[in-house]
Amino acid sequence: MINSQRFRLALVALAASAAALTAVPAQAATPAPVQARTQAATTVQLADLVDSPISPMRCRDDGQGCPPVKEPTDCGGTAPTSLRGASWHMQQRMAERKVSWDDIQTVVRVGAANARCQDNGKWRYEVGLSDGRLIAVIGSPDAWGVTVFVNNE
């Protein structure tokens, strides 16, 4: 199912305009009255699609039209105060963003008191270092580093 409402609206409008264009007979030059009929047909068909019981604009009652609501995942207990290691992705981001392992461990140790559990079940630690960088470390509940972000402002 498509989750973006804007995308669903665009698809409905596209379907309505395609239906309206196929309803009009092909002519070499379309006079203005036919264009007005096409626009009116498109408006009516769009309203019909939006108000239909199986509209892509709303969930269907048979359970097939809406994705289940995803509940936030619990990170489990308190945030770890150190990391056991770093994922390959985190190692690449550390090299790319010039963050040392000592910086990572400092952020996790100091930020553990204010770490927050994200919806995906991972911990987010944020600490401003003395050199002016704001570093955010994402760690798994089992104390492995996932990624790191740096804001140099």
Side-chain angles (χ1 to χ4, degrees):
M1 191 66 185
I2 300 169
N3 292 330
S4 169
Q5 185 175 5
R6 187 181 312 171
F7 188 69
R8 285 183 281 166
L9 282 172
L11 284 176
V12 169
L14 181 65
S17 63
L21 289 176
T22 57
V24 176
Q27 297 175 348
T30 306
V34 173
Q35 288 178 347
R37 278 196 319 245
T38 303
Q39 287 176 340
T42 303
T43 305
V44 170
Q45 288 173 357
L46 179 60
D48 291 341
L49 284 173
V50 171
D51 293 332
S52 75
I54 56 169
S55 168
M57 307 313 285
R58 50 175 96 133
C59 298
R60 294 174 13 193
D61 293 333
D62 62 2
Q64 298 297 315
C66 293
V69 176
K70 185 177 178 184
E71 296 295 324
T73 307
D74 183 26
C75 292
T78 59
T81 57
S82 67
L83 296 180
R84 294 190 277 165
S87 67
W88 177 247
H89 173 78
M90 184 175 192
Q91 292 174 25
Q92 290 175 326
R93 297 297 85 77
M94 287 169 59
E96 181 180 287
R97 296 166 181 159
K98 296 175 179 57
V99 178
S100 70
W101 183 247
D102 290 337
D103 290 338
I104 297 292
Q105 292 291 39
T106 301
V107 169
V108 172
R109 186 182 69 253
V110 173
N114 297 326
R116 70 176 172 90
C117 180
Q118 300 183 125
D119 288 344
N120 62 4
K122 295 184 176 45
W123 289 102
R124 182 180 182 98
Y125 307 85
E126 288 184 359
V127 172
L129 298 182
S130 59
D131 59 5
R133 295 181 297 168
L134 175 66
I135 298 182
V137 174
I138 308 300
S140 67
D142 58 350
W144 282 93
V146 176
T147 193
V148 61
F149 302 99
V150 178
N151 183 353
N152 292 326
E153 293 180 4

